[in-house]
């Protein structure tokens, strides 16, 4: 993307999501002489315990040294093992937790007052939300809350096209947006279309109708 506003936090507190996670583990396995150990290490470093430690800037227990004070206390390994023996997969547990956290986050977003914290959240959620479908509701909640205060650069990005100049680059994000935000995207995109195409050309808005 060419929009610094949305990419400013790309490399800060990076979490492996979607295709990024798949590429990372594939890269590790290619270099590994012990695939079993590599998978176990990857599971440990990307467990719920490790992710909570990363999110709250604490130290996971497997990396803690004697005397460390900021050790993450929430360790889910024993609970996950117990649930596994009951027939509940880790994937199902992770999905339920993520769904609950996502719903709570959406509720918090609706209660936010002021634009600045919403723009900050927008920076953090744009990249994962545009690549991982399950996280898109968070982005939609932020955009709905921002409404007419949505930054121009974000509206431009929502109206960005593929190389063919017709298909929306983020159409999966754009289509569920409410009418107000779609209208704002049209308005911001109109000048660009007028500069590049005949205003009577029906190809201008094939994806926006």
């Amino acid at each position: 993307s060419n929009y610094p506003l949305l990419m400013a936090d790309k490399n800060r507190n990076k979490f492996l999501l979607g295709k990024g996670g798949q590429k990372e583990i594939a890269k590790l396995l290619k270099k590994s002489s012990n695939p079993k150990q590599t998978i176990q290490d990857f599971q440990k470093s990307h467990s719920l315990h490790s992710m909570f430690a990363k999110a709250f800037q604490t130290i996971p227990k497997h990396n803690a040294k004697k005397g460390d004070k900021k050790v993450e206390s929430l360790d889910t390994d024993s609970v996950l093992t117990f649930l596994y023996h009951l027939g509940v997969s880790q994937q199902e547990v992770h999905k339920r937790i993520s769904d609950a956290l996502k719903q709570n986050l959406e509720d918090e977003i609706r209660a936010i007052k002021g634009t600045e914290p919403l723009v900050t959240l927008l920076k953090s959620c744009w990249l994962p939300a545009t690549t991982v479908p399950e996280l898109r509701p968070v982005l939609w909640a932020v955009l709905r809350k921002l409404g007419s205060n949505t930054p121009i650069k974000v509206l431009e990005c929502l109206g960005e096209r593929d190389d063919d100049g017709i298909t929306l680059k983020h159409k999966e994000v754009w289509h569920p947006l409410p009418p107000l935000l779609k209208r704002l995207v049209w308005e911001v995109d109109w000048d660009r279309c007028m500069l590049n195409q005949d205003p009577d050309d029906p190809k201008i808005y094939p994806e926006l109708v």
Side-chain angles (χ1 to χ4, degrees), residues 38-50:
T38 299
I39 291 172
Q40 289 175 345
D41 291 343
F42 188 87
Q43 288 175 330
K44 181 185 292 184
S45 61
H46 294 80
S47 65
L48 279 176
H49 171 70
S50 295

Side-chain angles (χ1 to χ4, degrees), residues 109-179:
I109 289 169
R110 284 189 284 269
I112 290 176
K113 295 182 180 179
T115 301
E116 187 175 346
L118 290 167
V119 173
T120 300
L121 183 56
L122 184 59
K123 290 181 185 180
S124 300
C125 75
W126 175 266
L127 185 64
T130 52
T131 54
V132 182
E134 291 81 5
L135 296 178
R136 286 175 191 155
V138 176
L139 176 59
W140 292 327
V142 174
L143 292 172
R144 282 195 297 267
K145 182 67 177 179
L146 280 168
S148 58
N149 293 316
T150 301
I152 297 295
K153 290 295 184 182
V154 177
L155 298 174
E156 289 176 351
C157 199
L158 288 168
E160 194 176 4
R161 314 298 179 89
D162 280 333
D163 292 338
D164 60 12
I166 298 175
T167 307
L168 284 174
K169 196 170 185 178
H170 303 295
K171 59 183 178 181
E172 295 84 0
V173 175
W174 188 89
H175 280 299
L177 293 175

Side-chain angles (χ1 to χ4, degrees), residues 93 116 158 187 192:
V93 174
E116 187 175 346
L158 288 168
E187 291 174 354
R192 185 192 64 80

